[in-house]
Amino acid sequence: IVVIWSSSDNPVSVSRLPSGDIPLHIIAASNQSPSALFYPHTLINTDAVFSLDHDSQLTPDELDFAFIVWRTFPDRIVGYPARTHHWDQAKGSWTYSSQWSNSYSLVLTGAGMYHRYWHHVYAFAASPELKTTVEQTNNCHDLLLNFLVAQFTQHPPIKLTQRKNFKDPTSEGKRVWTDPGHFQQRSVCLNTFTSVLGSFPLRFSSVRLDPVLFKDKVSITRKKYRQIEKIGS
């Protein structure tokens, strides 16, 4: 477990964190840019990276299922919070949306898995103009990673299960991701990224992957991921 500490406060001591068999490291980011989350730190020694925001809530079953799916699609972003975009004819620009629909074009890295290779692409292959946009807005790093993956692979991300909400409703971060200005800013990012790249690489998908026997009316003992079905949508 690698914690990227980008707060202006001093990092918490590792001795104050829960102990266990899994090594836990805290890295104090050199700056408070969200891009610090996608730096290829040497402590990341697994191919799979499960990115989790500080206010995200997922069960161990969901993490395990994400890894099972990712092993089949290691070039994709695989995760739970899906978003979409649409073309606003009146404004003549792209618009970011969190409205629930039958299709999506983005899977947020607040609760998503991807190959560590994309950290190298983000850090060393992405145009400085793209990362400058992230730093100036203190936003949109997850959108940029989606853009880069889609541009390289020509494939959409993959959404898992029926979960809609993955944030802790009691978190102070709620003030950010429910602010209308937050969504407006992310729409601006979509258009800025498109201008810099010279194309709009995001692709729609209507695929959602669920565990075997998900919601089937059979004995719960026959199901591997029993906790996932108990999660509200």
Side-chain angles (χ1 to χ4, degrees):
I1 300 173
V2 178
V3 178
I4 308 299
W5 189 276
S6 57
S7 170
S8 58
D9 297 332
N10 292 328
V12 65
S13 171
V14 174
S15 62
R16 294 179 56 192
L17 299 177
S19 60
D21 297 332
I22 306 300
L24 191 153
H25 309 275
I26 297 179
I27 297 177
S30 58
N31 58 63
Q32 295 184 37
S33 169
S35 292
L37 294 173
F38 299 141
Y39 186 80
H41 298 284
T42 56
L43 287 171
I44 302 175
N45 53 26
T46 58
D47 287 338
V49 175
F50 194 88
S51 177
L52 196 67
D53 282 352
H54 69 282
D55 55 353
S56 298
Q57 293 188 128
L58 290 183
T59 65
D61 269 5
E62 289 173 295
L63 193 156
D64 186 67
F65 179 61
F67 180 59
I68 294 297
V69 174
W70 176 84
R71 291 176 64 184
T72 303
F73 303 97
D75 61 329
R76 314 281 190 97
I77 298 177
V78 175
Y80 294 91
R83 300 291 184 265
T84 189
H85 71 274
H86 66 269
W87 177 257
D88 190 321
Q89 191 65 41
K91 296 180 180 179
S93 61
W94 297 105
T95 299
Y96 172 86
S97 175
S98 64
Q99 295 296 317
W100 192 255
S101 66
N102 290 329
S103 63
Y104 60 91
S105 56
L106 298 148
V107 165
L108 305 186
T109 56
M113 184 169 288
Y114 52 84
H115 199 287
R116 64 175 175 173
Y117 168 77
W118 298 116
H119 281 187
H120 291 271
V121 173
Y122 189 105
F124 305 119
S127 164
E129 295 175 83
L130 297 171
K131 287 179 284 189
T132 296
T133 300
V134 172
E135 292 171 3
Q136 290 176 342
T137 60
N138 198 36
N139 197 344
C140 306
H141 57 295
D142 50 351
L143 303 187
L144 177 54
L145 190 70
N146 272 268
F147 262 70
L148 296 172
V149 174
Q151 185 183 46
F152 275 72
T153 66
Q154 305 295 303
H155 291 302
I158 295 178
K159 172 170 173 52
L160 306 176
T161 75
Q162 89 288 11
R163 177 190 275 271
K164 293 181 182 179
N165 300 316
F166 68 104
K167 295 286 192 178
D168 179 358
T170 65
S171 169
E172 293 182 1
K174 181 178 181 180
R175 292 177 295 184
V176 175
W177 46 267
T178 58
D179 182 0
H182 172 73
F183 290 90
Q184 295 172 6
Q185 183 62 70
R186 288 167 81 79
S187 293
V188 171
C189 288
L190 290 184
N191 290 283
T192 301
F193 295 160
T194 302
S195 177
V196 173
L197 293 173
S199 63
F200 191 86
L202 298 183
R203 283 167 165 72
F204 283 110
S205 176
S206 56
V207 173
R208 189 189 84 191
L209 299 186
D210 298 327
V212 174
L213 300 179
F214 181 72
K215 296 292 187 180
D216 284 356
K217 295 181 179 180
V218 299
S219 172
I220 194 69
T221 59
R222 296 178 59 188
K223 302 182 181 185
K224 180 178 180 180
Y225 299 107
R226 303 169 189 176
Q227 296 298 317
I228 292 180
E229 293 199 14
K230 299 178 181 179
I231 300 168
S233 59

